[in-house]
Amino acid sequence: MVTDANMQVPPPGDTEPVKAEVYCIRGETVSIGGAMEWIIAELARRFAHTTEKKPKRQWGDLKRYIKTEGLNPALQDELGDVTGYFRPRNLAAHAGVMIVGVAEATQIFRLYRDKGIPQVELVTLDELRDETATARSGYRAIQVVGRALDDYAPAVLADMNELNRARLLGESESRPPS
């Protein structure tokens, strides 16, 4: 039995630039998520009359409304982009990240749970950037969905102030209700 052991391990390499980049990428993805979730909640509340509190459930209610009203064929790409946003946002907001410098290499490990099962992934900065691009695509798509809903039923958003309208639809001009 070893009672006195001493391990000599050199300090990790310089990982600060990688840490800073990961921080920025994750921050952007989470920030996009906050804006998107407000848009989803507002559209779901106003059009689908949802009482749900969770963004994924609000999105489900809004998609059902879009389908019921027959608007989904024209919005298939956008609906897919919005649905695709949820995983990158949840990983950016909730997964742990461990950045390890070994010799000349820096590795990024993402730790999260999938259906309660712990997962560890080795990810690259490019993969994290791609996830941010997916979130951006979802953000643009939810605004397209909002504009389509506004075109379909302009009276629903007629009382909205200019700032919220710009945030919701990506445009600032008011349209009179029809």
Side-chain angles (χ1 to χ4, degrees), residues 3-26:
T3 57
D4 185 32
N6 193 4
M7 182 180 271
Q8 297 292 327
V9 178
D14 184 14
T15 61
E16 290 305 311
V18 174
K19 285 180 186 176
E21 182 75 12
V22 168
Y23 181 81
C24 288
I25 291 168
R26 287 174 54 136

Side-chain angles (χ1 to χ4, degrees), residues 78-171:
E78 289 80 9
L79 297 176
D81 286 349
V82 174
T83 298
Y85 133 87
F86 283 100
R87 184 174 192 276
R89 188 271 183 204
N90 288 340
L91 288 171
H94 302 294
V97 173
M98 186 170 59
I99 300 168
V100 179
V102 179
E104 302 286 319
T106 300
Q107 295 177 319
I108 306 164
F109 293 94
R110 178 164 47 200
L111 303 92
Y112 63 98
R113 290 186 176 274
D114 184 16
K115 298 177 182 146
I117 300 169
Q119 304 289 322
V120 177
E121 293 178 327
L122 181 61
V123 294
T124 66
L125 286 173
D126 285 339
E127 289 169 326
L128 295 175
R129 287 184 196 108
D130 288 346
E131 290 174 359
T132 301
T134 298
R136 270 191 231 109
S137 179
Y139 180 75
R140 287 187 296 272
I142 193 62
Q143 288 183 320
V144 170
V145 168
R147 288 191 296 272
L149 289 169
D150 189 43
D151 288 344
Y152 176 73
V156 174
L157 302 178
D159 67 334
M160 186 169 270
N161 70 44
E162 290 299 313
L163 176 60
N164 285 341
R165 182 176 191 78
R167 288 173 54 205
L168 189 74
L169 307 177
E171 61 182 25

